[in-house]
Amino acid sequence: MPGRGAHTRGAAEPRGGGRWRLAVCVGLALVATGLLAWGHGVAQASQEEARGKAFCSRALARLERVTPASGGTVAAGVADLPVLQVDGLDVAGRLVAAGAGLDTPVAAPGSATGLAPSLEEGRAGELLVRCRPWQTSAIQALRKGEELRFVQVDGAGRTYSVVDAGTTCSKFDDHFDLLLYVEGSFGSKRWVGCSQSS
């Protein structure tokens, strides 16, 4: 009889212990999968940032060489902007906000790129610039009243000043002459709206 009781207790413990061990293994597998996915995302973002910064550096150097100090006519809309090809990508101009440390080439509308900010067609003809995630700190550094300048590749330029900023998950209210934004992982957009001063 003692042997049978010992056998019964011994058989009950492995079943309970087995379920516990299975739950732990499943939990560890899920954690490991999550960490791998996170690590892959971080590595991919880091590679995109490195490629983007390298491209922007080349594009700015090219714009520095070929953009006249002044000249040209300010384009009526984003579709009318002259372009310069850099590494096969149409660049429409350069956006500078010295106070925020922002100096970047801007790709023409329709130039699908993850390498540089790109222009999008706004509903009222304003400049709508989608910036890259690695430029978030420069966008957040823009303060009300700060001056930005967009210079076309032919030397014509326009000056803007920051009037508002915020975060949204919906469409933009197009009452700005220039709107910069960075889209986050879950669809939220950090934006800065500017009015044209010249």
Side-chain angles (χ1 to χ4, degrees), residues 57-80:
S57 180
R58 291 193 302 274
L60 288 176
R62 180 90 186 277
L63 288 168
E64 199 72 47
R65 289 195 305 271
V66 305
T67 304
S70 62
T73 304
V74 173
V78 294
D80 303 315

Side-chain angles (χ1 to χ4, degrees), residues 49 111 172 189:
E49 179 177 344
S111 297
F172 296 116
K189 303 177 186 80

